[in-house]
Amino acid sequence: MGLPRRRGKKIAKLNPQDIEAISGRTLEHYERSAEDFWRGTREHDVSQNIGALLQHIEGTPPFTILDFGCGPGRDLKAIAAVGHVAVGLDGSARFAGMARAYSGCEVLQQDFLKLKLPAGRFDGVFANAALFHVPGQELPRVLRELHATLKPRGVLFSSNPHGDNEEGWNHERYGAYWDLETWRRYLAAAGFTELEHYYRPAGLPRERQPWLATVWRAAK
């Protein structure tokens, strides 16, 4: 999913209607803009991120990887192309269909806030530009669900636009923008141990590196 401007605000407790609105409105945006999104992102190079995930997975490949928030399937296809079993997941019906057609991989259509994931199936979860759409109130639960779908000592990669611990609407998409220390607290509480982190794009001053990439091992 795409990069919004780093804007938002600290908000009060969300009720079930708020949660439904966040999912519904954000997904409607991606449904309407699916083709434009694909044209704007299909050439993005995230090989550094895919490599960061794969290098930390223990055992003998091929690995089974969940591409969480797979969008139209760019990274899903790239993971499969290097010999792994790639499974996509996206809440947008249009993205799920595009990803199946483009990658030839299995793709689950599931709302991030209503996940039904198999226990212990995946060696790794690749969450590239996806988890920032999860409100902070719901994030602990979602992270625990990702932990549960990983095999013992499985690896979670996440890349999100970072910020000053604020969340809210950016036009038609909801986003939450955490700094590194807050993100670390969320992941540690969900049972993950940090392996590495870095900012992207590489080689630029920090103020021009909007993405925070982190890699975690599921402690079981």
Side-chain angles (χ1 to χ4, degrees), residues 4-58:
R5 293 174 298 175
R6 296 186 330 195
R7 292 188 180 178
K9 60 181 180 179
K10 295 179 175 65
I11 59 174
K13 181 176 174 60
L14 299 169
N15 61 41
Q17 292 75 30
D18 296 326
I19 299 298
E20 286 290 333
I22 285 169
S23 280
R25 187 171 157 190
T26 302
L27 286 172
E28 284 172 10
H29 166 82
Y30 285 113
E31 290 284 299
R32 289 194 307 270
S33 62
E35 295 294 340
D36 288 340
F37 180 90
W38 185 222
R39 284 191 292 269
T41 61
R42 66 185 302 164
E43 301 301 327
H44 288 184
D45 180 7
V46 295
S47 56
Q48 179 186 15
N49 293 347
I50 293 173
L53 169 70
L54 295 177
Q55 72 176 342
H56 288 291
I57 298 177
E58 299 173 343

Side-chain angles (χ1 to χ4, degrees), residues 27-135:
L27 286 172
E28 284 172 10
H29 166 82
Y30 285 113
E31 290 284 299
R32 289 194 307 270
S33 62
E35 295 294 340
D36 288 340
F37 180 90
W38 185 222
R39 284 191 292 269
T41 61
R42 66 185 302 164
E43 301 301 327
H44 288 184
D45 180 7
V46 295
S47 56
Q48 179 186 15
N49 293 347
I50 293 173
L53 169 70
L54 295 177
Q55 72 176 342
H56 288 291
I57 298 177
E58 299 173 343
T60 303
F63 303 124
T64 303
I65 306 297
L66 177 66
D67 186 356
F68 182 85
C70 65
R74 178 198 64 206
D75 303 339
L76 190 63
K77 186 172 183 177
I79 293 167
V82 292
H84 301 289
V85 178
V87 177
L89 182 149
D90 208 281
S92 163
R94 289 196 69 192
F95 278 170
M98 293 164 73
R100 292 186 192 106
Y102 182 68
S103 70
C105 297
E106 177 187 0
V107 178
L108 310 173
Q109 185 191 339
Q110 294 188 17
D111 186 325
F112 293 175
L113 302 183
K114 299 176 182 177
L115 295 172
K116 295 181 179 179
L117 297 171
R121 178 178 179 185
F122 298 102
D123 297 289
V125 173
F126 186 70
N128 190 69
L131 283 171
F132 76 94
H133 285 308
V134 177

